[in-house]
Amino acid sequence: MSIPVIELRHISKKFVNKTILKDINLSIMEGDSITIIGPGGCGKSLLMKIIAHIVPHDTGELLFYGKDVKKINKKELEEFYLTIGMLFQNYALFDSLSVRDNVGFYLDYHTKIPHENISKKVTNNLRRVSLNNIEHLFPAELSGGMKKRVGIARAINHDPKILLLDEPTAGLDPITTDSISKLIRHIHEEMSVTMVSATNDMNCAKKIGKKLAMLYEGEIYAIDTPDNMFSSSDPLIHQFMYGKRQGPIQYHEKISGIQDDSK
Ligand SMILES: Nc1ncnc2c1ncn2[C@@H]1O[C@H](COP(=O)(O)OP(=O)(O)OP(=O)(O)O)[C@@H](O)[C@H]1O
Ligand SMILES: [Mg+2]
């Protein structure tokens, strides 16, 4: 029987005295494409950073092929990091580096591959995300959609086995959103990577996630195919999937006491 590439067991995380993640259990199998959904601020980005082990969890276990990431040796930890490519919600491009150096960053700093070979790889990966001749530009010279694409090119440039994409389409126009969703699906199939994404965009979630995992109140409340999630009779899932104001999820106006006149 195959073991999960990544498994989260009873993961929790709090900041000061605010618990964000309470008890996360999630198995990510090779070739999976899981999209994390859930109300804004519920901890999707935090969960992605915990999976990448760039934010350490408080309790529970993060297992990489069955081994506890907190207990593996330095070499194994380096292998773990090399396995992961990540697109951050806010791009996290280095402002002072050109597109070439942003995309090539990991290979430039963590391998001995010659500079020219890395440059060729950067150009190829930029082409893959439909960007040509922009290696010399700086992040400030790019549009939001271009930054996302550069972020994706950077995430895939070291041929990771696991791709983590946080809000790959947030803030983009509908056509760019559609083309980036298709591109991500294509990358998933072409590179046969294991993919975990987080999004507030249900159209994107439908297109890129083979399974949707709904994060709610610090736990994975449900995980299922997009079709099953959209047809779920569970009031909480139904409310969220269709963006309804009425239902068990307390939205801001209810919390702040603002009258909802739309009912
Ligand atoms: N480094 C940190 N220090 C303190 N609090 C943090 C930190 N990172 C995240 N949080 C808190 O954790 C909560 C979840 O944040 P997170 O960004 O993961 O939410 P999200 O579900 O990704 O939201 P969105 O849908 O808006 O992207 C927020 O209350 C946030 O303030
Ligand atoms: Mg987020």
Side-chain angles (χ1 to χ4, degrees):
M1 206 181 77
S2 59
I3 55 166
V5 184
I6 295 216
E7 190 178 357
L8 293 92
R9 284 192 193 156
H10 306 297
I11 293 276
S12 77
K13 179 75 188 176
K14 71 174 176 183
F15 292 108
V16 196
N17 51 9
K18 193 172 159 200
T19 299
I20 312 292
L21 303 177
K22 234 172 18 192
D23 184 18
I24 299 288
N25 294 287
L26 185 66
S27 289
I28 304 160
M29 306 302 289
E30 212 159 281
D32 257 351
S33 175
I34 297 179
T35 300
I36 318 252
I37 55 170
C42 70
K44 300 181 292 294
S45 296
L46 180 61
L47 181 55
M48 300 287 278
K49 289 175 197 158
I50 283 177
I51 294 173
H53 200 48
I54 48 183
V55 171
H57 49 283
D58 293 339
T59 60
E61 290 172 318
L62 172 67
L63 305 177
F64 176 53
Y65 288 108
K67 286 188 178 175
D68 188 335
V69 168
K70 280 193 175 171
K71 292 183 185 154
I72 57 181
N73 62 38
K74 204 175 154 214
K75 192 168 169 282
E76 287 171 320
L77 192 61
E78 274 169 19
E79 270 169 33
F80 170 77
Y81 286 129
L82 196 61
T83 306
I84 288 181
M86 182 155 181
L87 167 73
F88 293 86
Q89 180 164 4
N90 60 354
Y91 321 113
L93 298 177
F94 300 109
D95 288 342
S96 58
L97 297 184
S98 66
V99 168
R100 149 62 186 86
D101 290 347
N102 262 288
V103 177
F105 187 83
Y106 196 91
L107 294 180
D108 282 334
Y109 284 87
H110 295 279
T111 70
K112 294 194 167 64
I113 300 173
H115 190 266
E116 279 167 35
N117 296 13
I118 295 175
S119 295
K120 275 188 199 148
K121 209 165 162 50
V122 168
T123 300
N124 283 340
N125 278 318
L126 286 171
R127 283 212 190 107
R128 244 174 164 162
V129 298
S130 307
L131 290 172
N132 290 310
N133 304 319
I134 63 151
E135 288 86 335
H136 59 289
L137 297 181
F138 285 80
E141 299 172 279
L142 307 176
S143 73
M146 288 165 89
K147 282 184 199 163
K148 289 273 180 205
R149 285 171 190 269
V150 169
I152 295 170
R154 182 175 67 175
I156 61 175
N157 199 54
H158 59 288
D159 302 314
K161 288 198 184 122
I162 303 164
L163 197 52
L164 303 176
L165 303 170
D166 193 1
E167 298 290 353
T169 58
L172 303 179
D173 70 78
I175 296 166
T176 311
T177 293
D178 189 57
S179 88
I180 288 203
S181 303
K182 281 187 186 139
L183 167 73
I184 291 167
R185 214 172 45 198
H186 180 70
I187 287 173
H188 178 240
E189 283 156 16
E190 183 200 7
M191 292 176 64
S192 44
V193 287
T194 302
M195 210 164 76
V196 183
S197 49
T199 187
N200 279 309
D201 174 353
M202 286 300 136
N203 277 327
C204 169
K206 264 193 294 199
K207 283 188 188 130
I208 66 175
K210 287 189 179 155
K211 285 185 226 156
L212 305 185
M214 184 170 168
L215 179 59
Y216 185 67
E217 294 194 335
E219 295 180 25
I220 301 292
Y221 180 79
I223 178 161
D224 213 329
T225 61
D227 283 351
N228 287 346
M229 291 294 275
F230 275 100
S231 60
S232 172
S233 57
D234 181 299
L236 204 141
I237 300 173
H238 181 81
Q239 180 192 3
F240 184 76
M241 299 308 288
Y242 290 94
K244 302 223 184 244
R245 286 194 180 179
Q246 277 184 304
I249 304 173
Q250 297 289 296
Y251 276 91
H252 307 296
E253 61 266 43
K254 288 186 185 168
I255 294 164
S256 60
I258 298 169
Q259 193 73 33
D260 180 2
D261 298 327
S262 68
K263 291 170 198 161

